Amino acid sequence: MEPTVGKPSFLRNILVRLLLFGVLIIVVRFAYVVTITGESCDLGDFCFFSLPENFNFVIAGVGSGASPVNANKAVRSNAVNPSRGDLYTSKEWIQAVHFYSSVFQDLISEGYLSQSAKSLCVETQYGQDVFALKEIGVEDAIGIFKKSSKPLVISGEGHRITFNDNTFDFIFVGGGRLDKSSRPVDFASEIARTLKPEGFAVVHVRAKDTYSFNSFVDLFNSCKIEKSRDIDGFDSSMPNIREIVLKKESEIILRHGENEPDGNEKTKCSVPGYKQELVRKAEPLIAEEPLKPWITLKRNIKNIKYLTSMADISFKNRYVYVDVGARSYGSSIGSWFRKQYPKQNKTFEVYAIEADKTFYEEYKLKKKVTLLPYAAWVRNETLSFEINHDPGQEEEVVKGRGMGRIQPVQSLSDGGSDSEVDRIQGFDFADWLKKIVTDKDFVVMKMDVEGTEFDLIPRLFETGAICLIDEIFLECHYNRWQKCCPGERSPKYEKTYDQCLELFTSLRQSGVLVHQWW
């Protein structure tokens, strides 16, 4: 006869269920702490994977010597799982701490950092640089990252630092973090805002070329460069580093193209030397007038040395493409700029300026293009817009319409049987450009304005707007040989090829990177 199951079996089942329920509560609590709050935890948070109180490790050569470092205070609250605990004793962690310790000790010896400096490390994920600061005696140091890792790192981002103005004596940005920022101007502005006057900011970047270095410098209007040097990195992701030391000035430093303190806007500018350096590397101009310009100029695109193939544009605030005389979307924006221009994975704002109303409906379907349905001109006034159906320009005809020329209304005359004339609003292109972009933006311009370039280019120089343009693709219009009629020149334009060549040459001599377009 089988024994009857009694009360002990019933109690055992109750205890097992209570135990399972308790384990479930702990697991849920642990998952909440790790995945929801994103914070570090301790025993009070049910983080039973915390490191023991007597956990120590040795970092040779850090601080005063190869003495044991009590890591528990720095990493105990971060050890939410075993692998995270291993992070702080890994070869990579120790190597990073060694590297930053060496960097900071050099800065101390050079007078840019002191042990009493209130210090901030920006966008440091695991806080190796913060730990290195503390190990060499800079106790008042903290790091920020989008996900906190207390006690070394609290929540914060480079473009939105959650500290008051003039808080820190020393700010460090390592690991090329500013290079990777999608908002470099805001990032730099926040560093300058939270840095005390006479304080130092040290930034590690990949600014290898002169263009990117000067673009970086232009981000910090209130700081001046104290020192710049190339150093070796500590991992394969960034083997070569440029270390730049900045000092915050009491007064804002004005850069080229900016406003004077009294609010009077500068109208003149000189193209900086680092842009002139790029011009010297550009493809040579076509010195001899081509007999078949429609072929020669089109082939020339293969020779063009784009600015973005010669320099890094990472430190620019915005990226802007302005197509002056855009015609249809597929004429150059869709067929060339979108597909061929090397953009370094940057997203460009696109402006299409077109006076011919035939193309307006098409642009309504292009959500990523801003259409200006006007004529680019030297002032705001009503213009006559002549649509020419010259059979000699057959390669330029789209939907039966040739390229249009503009002129003041008072100059309006009978365009002949091959022309039709509309009235269109002209606007001061140079003035508009100065309102829409700054010298912190990267601006590419294509200009195809049927001879009006001889008016617009001088106006850009006169107003100083030329300094806002980084690269120009210019089609210059002259009385060239006609495709339809060998031995005959087009009567449409008065300028000669030599005058066009002179325009290109003067632009390059002034330091403007301009390419011959077709």
Side-chain angles (χ1 to χ4, degrees), residues 473-513:
F473 297 85
L474 174 64
E475 178 174 351
C476 188
H477 298 82
Y478 63 98
N479 56 351
R480 66 186 191 177
W481 298 110
Q482 296 191 72
K483 184 178 182 181
C484 70
C485 316
E488 294 185 17
R489 292 185 180 273
S490 170
K492 188 176 179 180
Y493 308 107
E494 297 179 355
K495 302 296 183 179
T496 65
Y497 185 81
D498 286 341
Q499 287 174 299
C500 281
L501 188 60
E502 184 180 343
L503 180 62
F504 283 108
T505 303
S506 65
L507 281 164
R508 287 197 173 184
Q509 287 177 344
S510 299
V512 179
L513 182 60

Side-chain angles (χ1 to χ4, degrees), residues 320-458:
V320 180
Y321 174 61
V322 183
D323 195 329
V324 191
R327 304 182 69 219
S328 67
Y329 175 81
S331 176
S332 60
I333 296 175
S335 63
W336 168 70
F337 183 76
R338 295 287 196 197
K339 295 180 179 180
Q340 299 183 46
Y341 185 81
K343 304 176 190 65
Q344 296 187 9
N345 295 320
K346 307 300 181 183
T347 300
F348 279 71
E349 301 172 33
V350 178
Y351 292 88
I353 301 174
E354 177 53 53
D356 192 341
K357 60 186 178 183
T358 300
F359 305 111
Y360 294 172
E361 284 298 320
E362 177 184 4
Y363 281 103
K364 290 181 180 179
L365 304 176
K366 307 299 179 182
K367 296 182 179 179
K368 295 184 178 180
V369 179
T370 300
L371 172 67
L372 277 69
Y374 312 107
W377 186 232
V378 296
R379 54 186 167 269
N380 300 323
E381 64 176 340
T382 302
L383 301 167
S384 65
F385 180 67
E386 178 188 0
I387 303 299
N388 187 281
H389 299 280
D390 183 355
Q393 304 295 326
E394 289 178 1
E395 74 279 9
E396 296 178 342
V397 175
V398 176
K399 296 181 180 179
R401 299 180 73 86
M403 302 292 281
R405 293 180 293 176
I406 61 173
Q407 56 184 320
V409 170
Q410 57 267 29
S411 301
L412 185 61
S413 61
D414 184 4
S417 59
D418 292 328
S419 301
E420 58 181 280
V421 177
D422 291 330
R423 291 197 176 193
I424 189 72
Q425 180 62 43
F427 72 103
D428 189 332
F429 173 68
D431 183 64
W432 171 83
L433 190 65
K434 293 179 73 173
K435 291 177 180 177
I436 207 73
V437 300
T438 73
D439 60 351
K440 292 182 176 61
D441 301 323
F442 182 77
V443 181
V444 180
M445 185 178 78
K446 189 225 78 179
M447 181 178 287
D448 180 4
V449 288
E450 298 301 295
T452 310
E453 60 270 16
F454 286 96
D455 300 290
L456 294 181
I457 296 297

Side-chain angles (χ1 to χ4, degrees), residues 66-181:
S67 59
V69 179
N70 189 326
N72 191 54
K73 289 183 180 179
V75 303
R76 176 173 171 265
S77 61
N78 292 292
V80 294
N81 58 54
S83 62
R84 190 69 177 272
D86 292 341
L87 169 68
Y88 299 98
T89 57
S90 67
K91 178 181 178 181
E92 292 75 14
W93 166 272
I94 296 174
Q95 185 180 18
V97 173
H98 269 306
F99 172 75
Y100 289 125
S101 177
S102 175
V103 167
F104 295 143
Q105 286 174 335
D106 287 344
L107 293 170
I108 285 178
S109 66
E110 294 166 351
Y112 301 121
L113 173 64
S114 68
Q115 291 183 329
S116 62
K118 187 176 180 65
S119 303
L120 173 69
C121 296
V122 182
E123 293 201 353
T124 171
Q125 185 171 5
Y126 301 118
Q128 298 100 317
D129 40 6
V130 182
F131 190 88
L133 280 171
K134 291 181 178 292
E135 283 305 301
I136 63 172
V138 184
E139 291 294 333
D140 194 357
I142 192 67
I144 60 170
F145 191 70
K146 58 185 176 182
K147 185 176 180 180
S148 68
S149 184
K150 294 178 181 177
L152 295 177
V153 181
I154 62 174
S155 180
E157 296 182 85
H159 63 268
R160 188 173 57 247
I161 299 177
T162 53
F163 289 97
N164 295 329
D165 297 356
N166 306 323
T167 297
F168 297 99
D169 303 291
F170 177 81
I171 295 179
F172 178 72
V173 186
R177 299 161 199 160
L178 185 51
D179 302 60
K180 302 169 187 175
S181 174

Side-chain angles (χ1 to χ4, degrees), residues 32-275:
Y32 171 81
V33 169
V34 174
T35 65
I36 303 300
T37 65
E39 299 289 330
S40 47
C41 52
D42 54 26
L43 291 176
D45 292 315
F46 298 100
C47 289
F48 42 83
F49 294 116
S50 295
L51 296 176
E53 293 287 341
N54 60 352
F55 176 76
N56 295 306
F57 68 90
V58 175
I59 301 181
V62 175
S64 58
S67 59
V69 179
N70 189 326
N72 191 54
K73 289 183 180 179
V75 303
R76 176 173 171 265
S77 61
N78 292 292
V80 294
N81 58 54
S83 62
R84 190 69 177 272
D86 292 341
L87 169 68
Y88 299 98
T89 57
S90 67
K91 178 181 178 181
E92 292 75 14
W93 166 272
I94 296 174
Q95 185 180 18
V97 173
H98 269 306
F99 172 75
Y100 289 125
S101 177
S102 175
V103 167
F104 295 143
Q105 286 174 335
D106 287 344
L107 293 170
I108 285 178
S109 66
E110 294 166 351
Y112 301 121
L113 173 64
S114 68
Q115 291 183 329
S116 62
K118 187 176 180 65
S119 303
L120 173 69
C121 296
V122 182
E123 293 201 353
T124 171
Q125 185 171 5
Y126 301 118
Q128 298 100 317
D129 40 6
V130 182
F131 190 88
L133 280 171
K134 291 181 178 292
E135 283 305 301
I136 63 172
V138 184
E139 291 294 333
D140 194 357
I142 192 67
I144 60 170
F145 191 70
K146 58 185 176 182
K147 185 176 180 180
S148 68
S149 184
K150 294 178 181 177
L152 295 177
V153 181
I154 62 174
S155 180
E157 296 182 85
H159 63 268
R160 188 173 57 247
I161 299 177
T162 53
F163 289 97
N164 295 329
D165 297 356
N166 306 323
T167 297
F168 297 99
D169 303 291
F170 177 81
I171 295 179
F172 178 72
V173 186
R177 299 161 199 160
L178 185 51
D179 302 60
K180 302 169 187 175
S181 174
S182 60
R183 302 167 65 175
V185 171
D186 294 337
F187 200 122
S189 177
E190 284 293 272
I191 292 173
R193 179 186 66 81
T194 54
L195 189 64
K196 293 179 181 178
E198 307 301 315
F200 294 98
V202 176
V203 185
H204 285 177
V205 296
R206 292 185 177 89
K208 296 180 180 179
D209 59 84
T210 308
Y211 182 91
S212 60
F213 175 76
N214 282 275
S215 298
F216 169 85
V217 172
D218 285 343
L219 296 176
F220 295 88
N221 289 342
S222 60
C223 300
K224 70 173 184 178
I225 299 290
E226 287 286 311
K227 176 186 174 184
S228 175
R229 64 167 181 162
D230 293 326
I231 61 175
D232 294 329
F234 65 91
D235 61 21
S236 58
S237 66
M238 201 169 175
N240 301 307
I241 298 171
R242 176 169 288 190
E243 181 179 85
I244 303 174
V245 181
L246 302 151
K247 182 179 182 180
K248 183 175 179 179
E249 298 290 280
S250 300
E251 298 180 358
I252 296 178
I253 301 172
L254 291 173
R255 308 289 183 194
H256 55 79
E258 296 184 356
N259 291 345
E260 297 286 3
D262 60 2
N264 293 325
E265 189 178 4
K266 289 184 177 181
T267 57
K268 301 290 184 179
C269 73
S270 58
V271 178
Y274 67 89
K275 286 189 176 181

